[in-house]
């Protein structure tokens, strides 16, 4: 049987506020345990929550970026359950009236675009952390993270493969960092993904039973976890079993998902509007102010890059993966006047070098302006693309301009016909076998000869010129 | 409406309050008397009535995003049943 | 000293304030005299959960020093009692519960902070029904409070300790809270004056929450004038409480002496129906007659949904309480069972041991009404009825300026009389609950005694923010009556 995969994602976006969602405690990461837990986070008797304006503002930003409806009146509710890292015995969240209503996010999968519907996004507080090691059989509770503002972004089950799910998660990650509402640090848990995965026979309208894989903190784990879970569910069904709706945890060491037994207790969260908090009313003026303050969004910028610089949709997507990349690209395209070439360099050589050295584009040793100098030399035929890579390496290691390196290393392309002719003559003399093969009709032999000319010229001969001269000499 | 022993046990579990086998009968009876009183509400037609969550029809006031709290861990943990290395300790939580 | 002491104990806040300002007595002397009286009389009343003479006297000396510096306010040096529901740094804040028997608060409630700022001196912490749940003060882990007028009677609840302390003249004033009548009913039963302000006027920050949308703090004192002075200290906007109302500060004494000529007093028909005892009815009738003499106009009004306030309240309050009390889990503070198998067992045992039976019952009722499949039928329904109850008042206030009626159907009942019957106890809250549901201000003023010599209070209900008007009504009544000056005869043996 052919199976269709159905995926919906719930992403917990940690909002980058300096203080917590309901108190003036710091949200800084990595402090000593419980040193950033005030009476509010500790849920001392009598304490009350007061909502952080910045959290609301950041939620509106994302809502507008998702073309979503902003609920002018939204309400906080209590989600009641007992857990030691949840000090009040309830989490303040939003249920019936979340701040952000339905919206969409367009993702790029290969050369295809797909619109994923976002159901809602709601504000809530994070829980603390349970530490299970080193306490002679006890669990230690650190409430520093408790009360950190989260925006939970819930998608419709619109994704049909792990690849699409990753594209959506990446797209959302791009958006929240682009908007400056989240630092995007997945290792520190600033962007956590829960995946709802189910399978159904192709053509079936009803969804299959889903499992929720919790707390995936990298795109790689997200992809691996979904792929594992899909296989598991298909195998289970094909073996005559049934998928049980449950929460599962991905174990990256084993590369598998497993059931979270401790959370199997049927939960009854007893949601009700939090009487300590009144409805949040967002005036039109506030929305207009946020709108006015919005940067050009990745989707708009991508469209502009395609139109103005002639880049492909695929490249456009990569170039708008972050504001830094987009900014770098646009500077490069402008100084060089070469959109496509700039795109190739940013997504190719530069991306590879940054990746190799574990750097972000903001830390790139080669500025867009300096890289522009290199592209200019390719365009005016001073160097070949191949030599350009060598120059790029030298630029990466030092601070010289492309021109300085080309001159110092004598890498200028040989375009003087007589000089190339001399090299061609040498090559023809030394490679009689290839010459004969070519004459016998083996076209490929010409490539070998061009290669020899390039080699003999240490890559500096203009390859097109070399080929023309070779052909002429061989009487072709 | 009448709560069964099973209902009482379920509520007690949800509320994390131990109710012993011996208590369940009397607790159930007390709750049922209270619900007898509460049920009187059901006779009233409330169609079209807007629920009232709060006495005042005002919207939430928001605070500026500034850090105002300082570390007071020592004072706060002075009243804690069990702490070690700045952490609150509880019996092992199994995940 | 002895002679002065006798004068002092019957002093009102107003008088004490004047004596302190005139240098007739120091805050320290005053505190010592009250502590002496507390030590002598409290054992038979059990109105206090905590006393700490050292701390009290230190506060008093600080008040005197402040006065010496010329920085004294109106109430600097005046002693008070805090209901054990307001978190107070360095004091045990038990809320009447075993759960918090070991809880010394590391922070101050806003009310406590404001009182300290005014220079009031803490005599001790008043006993109360556990987590403010009760109408008789029999639900305290620290034992029942006795009514100073009759030691076999309940003082009312939940602010029973506050009301008994003021009635017995163990303190000139006490803080209290009212979720369904917990200021007004004990004030009525103890023959003292108490006011629950409009919801949102007094900050709830640091006040241990029972039912967040209903809870409101207020004072209990001998007179309306004292309540006004105290409300001047307690009331005011607090940024730490999202439900605190941003309003300009008020002087609650400003209208005390206004004439009542032409005041329209509404008598709700439903408050005088079946269930009201003859004694209480007589006291209210007499009070109404006094108001007629003062020039007020009496109009009959109707609050048709009064009876429904009982089921609505007993859904909403327990629902909110069930969630508010989830924080008491023995993890960060409070009672933790000594033996347990695992985490779930620790939770269940700690909570079963830490909470008393009434609290547990209400948590369970609240848990049930919020649980899956029941929310609409109970919680939502109750909220709709809450709207109806609230609308009744708004209709009524088109016809009258204030509403008068009884606080409770009878004077104080005997200790143990209703403790086995929750429903009987709940039904006796009928005249007070609707005020909390609507979030209106309400007060109780001493108006007489029943046949057994137990005090009976008169309830005054005003529209939102009508506190000054209500205090005016009460004050004028107290100028022509002397019920509020009567004190119970207590002896220390």
């Amino acid at each position: 049987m052919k199976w269709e995969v159905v995926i919906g994602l719930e992403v917990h976006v940690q909002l980058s506020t300096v203080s917590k969602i309901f108190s003036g405690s710091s949200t800084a990461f990595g402090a000593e345990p419980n040193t950033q837990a005030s009476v509010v986070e500790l849920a001392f008797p009598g304490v009350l929550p007061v909502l952080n304006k910045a959290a609301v503002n950041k939620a509106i930003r994302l809502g507008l970026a998702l073309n979503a409806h902003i609920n002018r009146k939204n309400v906080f509710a209590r989600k009641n359950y007992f857990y030691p890292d949840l000090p009040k015995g309830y989490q303040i969240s939003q249920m019936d009236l979340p701040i952000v209503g339905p919206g969409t996010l367009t993702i790029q999968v290969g050369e295809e675009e797909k619109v994923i519907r976002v159901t809602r996004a709601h504000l809530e507080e994070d829980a603390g952390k349970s530490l299970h090691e080193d306490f002679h059989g006890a669990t230690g509770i650190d409430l520093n993270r408790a009360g950190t503002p989260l925006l939970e972004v819930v998608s419709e089950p619109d994704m049909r493969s792990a690849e699409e799910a990753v594209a959506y998660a990446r797209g959302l990650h791009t958006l929240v960092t682009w908007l400056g509402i989240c630092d995007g640090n997945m290792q520190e848990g600033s962007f956590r993904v829960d995946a709802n995965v189910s399978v159904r026979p192709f053509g079936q309208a009803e969804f299959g039973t889903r499992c929720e894989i919790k707390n995936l903190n990298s795109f790689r784990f997200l992809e691996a976890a979904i792929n594992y879970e899909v296989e598991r569910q298909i195998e289970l069904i094909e073996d005559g079993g049934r998928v049980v709706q449950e929460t599962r945890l991905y174990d990256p060491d084993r590369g598998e998902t497993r059931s979270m037994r401790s959370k199997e207790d049927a939960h009854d969260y007893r949601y009700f509007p939090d009487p300590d908090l009144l409805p949040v009313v967002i005036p039109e003026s506030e929305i207009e102010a946020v709108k006015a303050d919005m940067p050009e969004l990745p989707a708009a910028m991508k469209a502009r890059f395609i139109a103005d610089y002639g880049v492909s949709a695929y490249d456009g997507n990569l170039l708008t993966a972050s504001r830094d990349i987009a900014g770098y690209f646009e500077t490069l395209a402008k100084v060089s006047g070469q959109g496509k070439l700039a795109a190739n360099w940013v997504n190719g050589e530069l991306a590879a070098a940054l990746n190799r050295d574990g750097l972000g584009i903001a830390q790139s040793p080669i500025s867009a302006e300096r890289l522009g100098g290199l592209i200019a030399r390719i365009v005016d035929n001073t160097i070949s693309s191949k030599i350009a890579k060598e120059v790029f390496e030298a630029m990466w290691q030092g601070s010289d301009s492309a021109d300085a390196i080309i001159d110092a290393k004598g890498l200028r392309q040989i375009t003087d016909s007589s000089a190339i002719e001399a090299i061609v003559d040498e090559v023809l003399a030394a490679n009689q076998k290839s010459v004969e093969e070519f004459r016998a009709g083996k076209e490929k032999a010409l490539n070998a000869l061009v290669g020899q000319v390039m080699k003999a010229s240490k890559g500096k001969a203009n390859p097109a010129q070399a080929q023309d001269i070779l052909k002429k000499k061989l009487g072709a | 409406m009448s709560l069964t022993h099973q209902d009482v046990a379920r509520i007690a579990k949800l509320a994390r309050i131990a109710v012993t086998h011996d208590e369940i009968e009397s607790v159930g009876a007390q709750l049922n008397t209270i619900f007898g009183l509460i049920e009187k509400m059901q006779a009233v037609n409330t169609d079209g009535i807007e629920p009232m969550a709060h006495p005042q029809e005002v919207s939430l006031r928001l605070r500026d995003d500034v850090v105002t709290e300082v570390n007071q861990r020592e004072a706060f943990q002075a009243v804690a049943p069990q702490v070690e290395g700045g952490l609150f300790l509880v019996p092992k939580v199994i995940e | 000293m002895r002679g002065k002491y006798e004068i002092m104990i019957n002093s009102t806040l107003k008088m004490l304030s004047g004596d302190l300002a005139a240098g007739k007595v120091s805050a320290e002397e005053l505190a010592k005299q009250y502590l002496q009286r507390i030590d002598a009389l409290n054992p038979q009343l059990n109105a206090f959960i905590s006393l700490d003479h050292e701390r009290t006297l230190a506060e008093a000396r600080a008040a005197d020093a402040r006065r010496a510096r010329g920085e004294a306010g109106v109430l600097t040096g005046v002693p008070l009692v805090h209901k054990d529901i307001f978190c107070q740094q360095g004091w045990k804040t038990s809320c009447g519960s075993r759960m918090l028997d070991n809880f010394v608060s590391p922070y101050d409630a806003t009310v406590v902070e404001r009182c300290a700022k005014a220079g009031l001196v803490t005599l001790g912490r008043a006993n109360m029904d556990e987590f403010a749940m009760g109408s008789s003060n029999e639900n305290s882990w620290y034992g029942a409070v006795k009514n100073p007028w009759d030691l076999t009677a309940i003082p009312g609840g939940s602010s029973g300790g506050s009301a008994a302390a003021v009635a017995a003249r163990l303190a000139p004033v006490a803080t209290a809270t009212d979720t369904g009548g917990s200021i007004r009913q004990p004030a009525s039963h103890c023959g003292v004056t108490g006011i629950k302000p409009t919801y949102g006027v007094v900050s709830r920050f640091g006040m241990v929450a029972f039912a967040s949308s209903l809870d409101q703090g207020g004072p209990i004192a001998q007179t309306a004038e004292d309540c006004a002075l105290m409300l001047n200290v307690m009331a005011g906007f607090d940024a730490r409480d999202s439900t605190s109302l941003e309003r300009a500060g008020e002087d609650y004494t400003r209208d005390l002496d206004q004439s009542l000529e032409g005041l329209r007093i509404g008598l709700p028909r439903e408050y005088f129906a079946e269930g009201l005892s003859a004694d209480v009815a007589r006291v209210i009738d007499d009070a109404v007659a006094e108001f007629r003499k003062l020039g007020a106009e009496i109009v009959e009004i109707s609050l048709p949904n009064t009876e429904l306030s009982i089921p609505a309240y007993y859904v909403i309050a327990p629902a909110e309480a069930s969630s508010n009390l989830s924080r008491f889990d023995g993890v960060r503070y409070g009672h933790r069972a000594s033996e347990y198998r695992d985490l779930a067992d620790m939770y269940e045992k700690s909570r079963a041991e830490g909470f008393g039976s009434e609290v547990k019952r209400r948590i369970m009722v609240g848990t049930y009404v919020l649980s899956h499949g029941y929310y609409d039928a109970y919680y939502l329904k109750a909220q709709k009825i809450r709207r109806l109850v609230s609308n009744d008042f708004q209709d009524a206030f088109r016809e009258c300026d204030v509403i008068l009626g009884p606080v409770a159907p009878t004077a104080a009942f005997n200790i143990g009389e209703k403790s086995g019957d929750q429903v009987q106890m709940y039904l006796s809250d009928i005249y007070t609950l609707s005020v909390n549901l609507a979030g209106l201000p309400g007060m109780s003023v001493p108006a007489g005694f029943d046949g057994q010599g137990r005090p009976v209070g008169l309830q005054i209900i005003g529209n939102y923010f009508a506190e000054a008007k209500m205090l005016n009504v009460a004050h004028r009544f107290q100028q022509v009556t002397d019920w509020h000056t009567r004190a119970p005869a207590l002896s220390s043996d």
Side-chain angles (χ1 to χ4, degrees), chain C residues 290-480:
Chain C
E290 288 295 338
F291 282 108
R292 274 190 214 276
K293 281 192 248 166
L294 287 165
E297 202 183 296
I298 308 298
V299 290
E300 192 187 63
I301 55 157
S302 175
L303 298 170
N305 292 294
T306 297
E307 216 165 319
L308 285 172
S309 65
I310 300 174
Y313 177 88
Y314 281 99
V315 167
I316 292 168
E320 293 182 8
S322 71
S323 177
N324 282 333
L325 271 59
S326 290
R327 69 191 58 203
F328 302 107
D329 57 7
V331 174
R332 299 163 313 286
Y333 54 78
H335 178 73
R336 183 187 282 201
S338 53
E339 280 173 39
Y340 40 83
R341 288 189 309 277
D342 53 22
L343 181 69
D345 198 41
M346 184 192 93
Y347 278 153
E348 290 177 8
K349 281 207 181 103
S350 300
R351 289 166 62 80
E353 293 169 6
F355 293 139
S357 54
E358 177 64 12
V359 171
K360 286 192 262 194
R361 267 193 295 277
R362 295 206 196 182
I363 290 175
M364 285 198 261
V365 168
T367 301
Y368 185 76
V369 298
L370 289 176
S371 67
H372 189 70
Y374 298 98
Y375 179 84
D376 287 6
Y378 292 108
Y379 193 73
L380 209 61
K381 182 89 181 176
Q383 282 198 328
K384 289 177 178 180
I385 291 174
R386 183 175 188 177
R387 172 84 56 196
L388 295 177
V389 168
S390 176
N391 290 347
D392 281 358
F393 280 111
Q394 290 315 305
D395 290 344
F397 283 123
R398 273 190 278 275
E399 294 163 42
C400 63
D401 302 310
V402 292
I403 294 169
L404 293 192
V407 175
T410 64
F413 45 85
N414 293 333
I415 292 173
E417 187 180 326
K418 292 187 184 176
S419 53
D421 189 346
Q422 291 78 45
V423 166
Q424 275 315 303
M425 196 84 96
Y426 296 175
L427 288 173
S428 68
D429 298 337
I430 182 156
Y431 308 130
T432 50
L433 299 179
S434 51
V435 165
N436 299 79
L437 289 173
L440 292 167
M443 71 184 292
S444 176
V445 180
F449 293 88
D450 77 347
Q452 285 176 277
R454 294 178 183 180
V456 173
L458 164 76
Q459 184 169 212
I460 305 171
I461 301 167
N463 209 340
Y464 299 114
F465 312 115
E467 288 84 358
K469 168 57 62 188
M470 294 155 62
L471 288 160
N472 161 227
V473 170
H475 180 68
R476 295 303 300 246
F477 179 74
Q478 290 183 334
Q479 287 187 315
V480 296

Side-chain angles (χ1 to χ4, degrees), chain C residues 278-292:
Chain C
D279 277 340
V280 175
R282 171 183 50 80
V283 167
I284 305 301
D285 283 350
D286 291 351
V288 168
E290 288 295 338
F291 282 108
R292 274 190 214 276

Side-chain angles (χ1 to χ4, degrees), chain A residues 309-321:
Chain A
Y309 301 111
V311 306
S312 68
Y314 177 84
D315 277 341
N317 199 53
L318 293 178
L319 292 171
T320 51

Side-chain angles (χ1 to χ4, degrees), chain C residues 139-271:
Chain C
N139 300 330
S140 169
W141 166 249
Y142 301 92
V145 177
K146 314 285 166 40
N147 191 317
W149 290 91
D150 181 341
L151 300 177
T152 64
I154 56 119
S158 65
S159 310
S162 299
V166 174
R169 309 302 192 238
L170 304 187
V173 65
T175 57
T177 61
D178 190 317
T179 304
S182 285
I183 287 177
R184 292 159 288 157
Q185 188 255 22
S188 172
H189 286 349
C190 291
V192 290
T193 309
I195 182 165
K196 175 204 104 74
T198 304
Y199 181 89
V201 162
V202 169
S203 168
R204 293 187 299 114
F205 183 80
M207 195 174 104
V208 183
F210 161 15
S212 310
S213 77
L214 305 165
D215 296 343
Q216 186 61 201
I220 290 179
Q222 289 175 44
T223 66
E225 185 172 34
D226 284 1
C227 282
L229 285 169
M230 194 58 192
L231 205 51
N232 279 350
V233 173
M234 293 175 77
F237 171 67
D238 180 11
R240 293 177 296 185
D241 174 0
S242 295
T243 61
S244 170
L245 298 166
E246 246 172 319
R247 305 179 74 246
E250 275 188 56
D251 175 7
Y252 292 99
T253 64
R254 68 180 188 274
D255 290 336
L256 286 176
D257 295 317
Q258 293 280 318
S259 161
L260 301 188
E261 198 69 48
L263 178 85
R264 293 172 308 160
I265 289 177
L267 300 181
R269 176 178 318 138
E270 295 76 10
Y271 283 29

Side-chain angles (χ1 to χ4, degrees), chain B:
Chain B
M1 189 206 84
S2 188
L3 295 173
T4 63
H5 288 187
Q6 226 176 348
D7 292 330
V8 175
R10 183 178 65 86
I11 300 166
K13 181 88 195 160
L14 261 181
R16 297 292 187 279
I17 292 172
V19 175
T20 64
H21 203 72
D22 300 342
E23 292 167 327
I24 213 153
E25 181 77 45
S26 64
V27 170
Q30 289 161 357
L31 293 181
N32 276 321
T33 329
I34 296 169
F35 275 101
L37 178 74
I38 289 172
E39 288 302 326
K40 290 192 175 137
M41 206 171 61
Q42 306 302 349
V44 191
N45 183 353
T46 50
D47 292 351
I49 307 289
E50 177 75 12
M52 180 173 164
H54 231 274
Q56 306 287 344
E57 295 285 334
V58 283
S59 61
L60 192 62
R61 187 167 18 83
L62 308 181
R63 48 169 268 274
D64 289 333
D65 181 25
V66 283
V67 175
T68 53
E69 298 293 333
V70 293
N71 173 24
Q72 296 184 67
R73 185 174 78 182
E74 209 177 317
F76 294 161
Q77 293 195 335
V79 290
Q82 204 186 352
V83 284
E84 192 178 309
L87 296 159
F88 297 97
L89 294 196
V90 296
K92 188 94 178 166
V93 176
I94 306 128
E95 288 235 325

Side-chain angles (χ1 to χ4, degrees), chain A residues 373-403:
Chain A
L374 177 62
I375 289 178
R377 296 293 82 83
I378 301 168
V379 174
D380 69 10
N381 277 327
T382 304
I383 53 172
S384 66
S385 298
K386 195 165 172 225
I387 291 291
K389 290 178 185 173
E390 193 183 329
V391 177
F392 179 86
E393 264 318 304
M395 290 170 79
W396 189 266
Q397 304 304 335
S399 58
D400 290 339
S401 68
D403 284 338

